[in-house]
Amino acid sequence: SPKELKNTALLREPKALLATFSDVKLAPNGKDLYIRGARPTSTVYFIDGVKSIDGEINIPGSAMSNIKVYTGGIPARYGDVTGGVVAVETKGYFDVLKEYNLSK
């Protein structure tokens, strides 16, 4: 949830953060994720509904609003995936504005 993301120490390392989810393991290289034992290339990343071609989450952690990890029972909108899906939603303008006003 957004509240949990804001308070986590792993916000700067999204893949290390994802490794805290069940059925998700971080590879020894610290770069790849194994979801339910599948190859790292079987994991698909979506950022605001757009598929990440290079398989990376190239946004700052502070811009993330919500992260969902699908390890099984993957919704049809994500296509044919054999490993898992990582769906990241970013904050909108009004979310950032609300945080800024609350911090004053």
Side-chain angles (χ1 to χ4, degrees), residues 71-85:
T71 59
I74 298 169
R77 69 175 171 223
Y78 295 116
D80 188 19
V81 178
T82 57
V85 173

Side-chain angles (χ1 to χ4, degrees), residues 56-78:
E56 292 292 325
I57 303 171
N58 295 322
I59 58 171
S62 60
M64 291 184 211
S65 171
N66 195 5
I67 299 175
K68 293 180 184 175
V69 178
Y70 296 97
T71 59
I74 298 169
R77 69 175 171 223
Y78 295 116

Side-chain angles (χ1 to χ4, degrees), residues 12-69:
R12 293 179 183 248
E13 298 177 30
K15 290 205 175 175
L17 173 67
L18 291 170
T20 63
F21 289 63
S22 66
D23 293 334
V24 180
K25 303 271 188 255
L26 190 61
N29 66 7
K31 192 173 148 182
D32 297 324
L33 289 177
Y34 297 105
I35 295 182
R36 297 185 72 187
R39 296 177 303 235
T41 55
S42 299
T43 301
V44 180
Y45 299 89
F46 285 87
I47 301 169
D48 288 335
V50 179
K51 185 176 180 181
S52 173
I53 294 175
D54 61 357
E56 292 292 325
I57 303 171
N58 295 322
I59 58 171
S62 60
M64 291 184 211
S65 171
N66 195 5
I67 299 175
K68 293 180 184 175
V69 178

Side-chain angles (χ1 to χ4, degrees), residues 5 37 70 102:
L5 277 175
Y70 296 97
L102 290 176

